Amino acid sequence: MKLEGKTALVTGGSSGIGEAIALRFAAEGARVAVAGSSDLSKAQAVVDRIEAAGGQAQAFVGDVRNVGAVKALVADVKAAFGRIDILVNSAGIFEPNFVGETTEDQYDAMMDINVKGSFFAINEVAPIMIAQGGGKIVNLSSVCGNMGFKTFSVYCATKAAINLLTRSLALELSPHDIAVNAILPGNTATPMNVKIRTEPQFEGMLEGMKEITPSNRLYSDADDMASAALFLCSDDGRAAHGSLMLLDEGISCGV
């Protein structure tokens, strides 16, 4: 029970890595605010799983592209639980963009969800943590923040921004006993990529991915990322400030 007595807010907590983190934190004793973007029923489904296992959680929604919605989400979580000890920024989208074909709306969606949403969640939560005497913040970045991938230039840019946001905020918030760190997953099995992993038309893409993946696992599990988040948010990770934890099955090592 490494998080007993703690309250955690997990954005993007209704699916994928965020869901895995919410489940793991609850199993370790945290009270978890599971935040989805707009569909309360999806967040509630995760809450139901947590409660069925004997944990404590509550469902929330908040469109992280909207600063007002982020403010309301944080205020609602604080009102419901009385405090926020942990923030995990897992809300994000992963989409290709082709130079010469990318629209402003496509660009804005990735920047707003992946970067703006993370920053303003921290912007709202940090004063609460300072008043409480400390806290833990984990941002979900990507191996794409460390290296380029063709046709994903905007996504790569958003994750590079998260990396430097993490390190800069670590400098600012560490004196308040607030640890800010990031997890950089590689290919991770989530609902976002189930078609690529299962449908025949993507077999060629999977073969190409195998060629650049040194480990024997083409896809990591979402639970692997939850284990990393637990480490960073428990006393086990107390030395981590501004860390960029790379969990990419070795892709970034080179070929």
Side-chain angles (χ1 to χ4, degrees):
M1 303 297 281
K2 294 183 177 182
L3 301 180
E4 190 169 11
K6 304 294 186 182
T7 295
L9 166 57
V10 182
T11 71
S14 59
S15 67
I17 293 173
E19 178 181 5
I21 291 172
L23 292 167
R24 179 66 64 82
F25 281 14
E28 291 289 342
R31 300 178 299 173
V32 183
V34 180
S37 58
S38 60
D39 188 344
L40 188 64
S41 65
K42 289 181 65 177
Q44 185 61 48
V46 179
V47 170
D48 290 344
R49 290 181 63 190
I50 290 171
E51 292 181 338
Q56 300 180 67
Q58 187 170 330
F60 298 84
V61 292
D63 184 348
V64 298
R65 295 172 295 182
N66 183 305
V67 175
V70 173
K71 287 177 178 286
L73 170 63
V74 172
D76 288 346
V77 173
K78 176 67 161 54
F81 292 109
R83 59 188 297 115
I84 300 174
D85 303 288
I86 298 167
L87 168 65
V88 178
N89 282 311
S90 187
I93 58 173
F94 172 72
E95 295 179 354
N97 67 282
F98 299 88
V99 173
E101 301 176 19
T102 302
T103 68
E104 183 177 4
D105 286 345
Q106 291 171 328
Y107 176 92
D108 286 347
M110 270 193 281
M111 284 291 178
D112 286 353
I113 295 173
N114 294 359
V115 183
K116 180 180 176 182
S118 295
F119 174 78
F120 279 99
I122 297 169
N123 196 57
E124 292 302 311
V125 168
I128 296 171
M129 291 182 173
I130 291 171
Q132 293 171 176
K136 305 278 191 177
I137 297 171
V138 174
N139 297 317
L140 266 293
S141 179
S142 167
V143 63
C144 293
N146 276 8
M147 59 189 295
F149 282 83
K150 63 183 179 181
T151 73
F152 285 92
S153 59
V154 176
Y155 179 78
C156 291
T158 67
K159 294 307 182 178
I162 288 295
N163 290 349
L164 267 296
L165 189 70
T166 297
R167 305 202 79 175
S168 298
L169 287 172
L171 290 172
E172 185 173 350
L173 295 176
S174 293
H176 299 285
D177 289 325
I178 299 172
V180 187
N181 297 289
I183 298 169
L184 283 61
N187 294 313
T188 305
T190 67
M192 187 183 296
N193 52 46
V194 67
K195 288 185 177 181
I196 295 175
R197 291 184 284 114
T198 59
E199 295 187 3
Q201 65 264 36
F202 295 107
E203 288 180 0
M205 180 184 294
L206 291 176
E207 288 302 315
M209 290 165 58
K210 288 178 182 178
E211 292 181 3
I212 64 169
T213 305
S215 83
N216 292 318
R217 292 201 308 168
L218 183 55
Y219 281 89
S220 303
D221 295 329
D223 283 343
D224 297 327
M225 308 308 147
S227 295
L230 176 60
F231 171 81
L232 292 172
C233 292
S234 69
D235 286 342
D236 293 338
R238 60 185 178 272
H241 290 272
S243 295
L244 306 178
M245 186 178 288
L246 185 61
L247 302 172
D248 69 345
E249 301 292 345
I251 291 175
S252 61
C253 293
V255 294

